Amino acid sequence: MGDDEKNTDVPTSEALNPVLRISQLDALELDSSLEQLMWSQFSLCFQNFRPGLLTPAEPELRALLHLLLWKFTLYPNSATVGQSILNVRYHNSLSASPRYRPLSRRQKLGLAFLTAGPRWLQERSHNLLVALGLRPGGSQRDVVKTGLRNCFSFISSVVQFASLINFLVFVRKGQHPVLAERIVGARAVFSKPNVVRDISYQYVNRELLWHGFAEFLIFFLPLINTHKIKSTVYTTIFGKKDEDKGGEVAWKECGFCGDWPTMPHTVGCKHVFCYYCVKSHGIADASLTCPKCGAEAGQPTPVVMEVEER
């Protein structure tokens, strides 16, 4: 065996050490975030075009984007972007060699197909059923069509159940977090000698502090009536200013949003509000008062506004 071949093969004790479960899950999250980021940037290129231009072909475009990422990341390096960041790559677990072996071309193709294919089929399932005359509300007389529809639903349920079982096995054994990896025989291993993840005390303490603070806000914020506070502050600061104008401004803007009233309603005072504004604030605050004059709000009633013609 030559020196070059020795350098390319990594000893078993270094390359095939068990990869942390959190590292494998983090790699999947990083890959998903990268794909979503690229899709958002791609969508921005069409922001000035007709709305909904990409919607008819969105499943195909997403699948094409996934294949492009696969072409330039997993195919040449046997590792995705997320795995490369976390010092992880795929090992051919079907190989009998005790040393590291990259994925074969067939495994890479199978991994790309099993990742992008089911997602595309799920997004296109409704259109495919309609194209084949298998709309859920269609006729039930055709036994073949009904059987195909039931078969498709059964296959979808089996795949979801198999994915659940695979994830439970992954939690138990720490290998193959995705069903496609188990099918093609792709196992995550370290691309370099395993480095212990050193988490400092300051980092852990900061994370615990922020998590505790977030849980406190989640519990405490719903108890605060922000609509009432906003209404009181607005009345205190701007209430007298509106009254000095004799209500002239009140009929030209909503008392809550400040825009021209949409479906104008009144609550018993001289001010007018959008129907959505007064209803949403009324649901949030049972003792709603007018933010302009402070009058107690009654039942919203529609009003007719006269528009001056020039």
Side-chain angles (χ1 to χ4, degrees), residues 260-271:
W260 183 266
T262 303
M263 298 178 62
H265 281 64
T266 182
V267 292
C269 61
K270 62 183 178 181
H271 300 99

Side-chain angles (χ1 to χ4, degrees), residues 37-59:
L37 176 62
M38 295 190 64
W39 173 255
S40 62
Q41 294 299 319
F42 176 76
S43 301
L44 288 177
C45 298
F46 298 87
Q47 62 180 349
N48 295 325
F49 287 76
R50 176 176 55 85
L53 179 64
L54 299 180
T55 303
E58 182 173 343

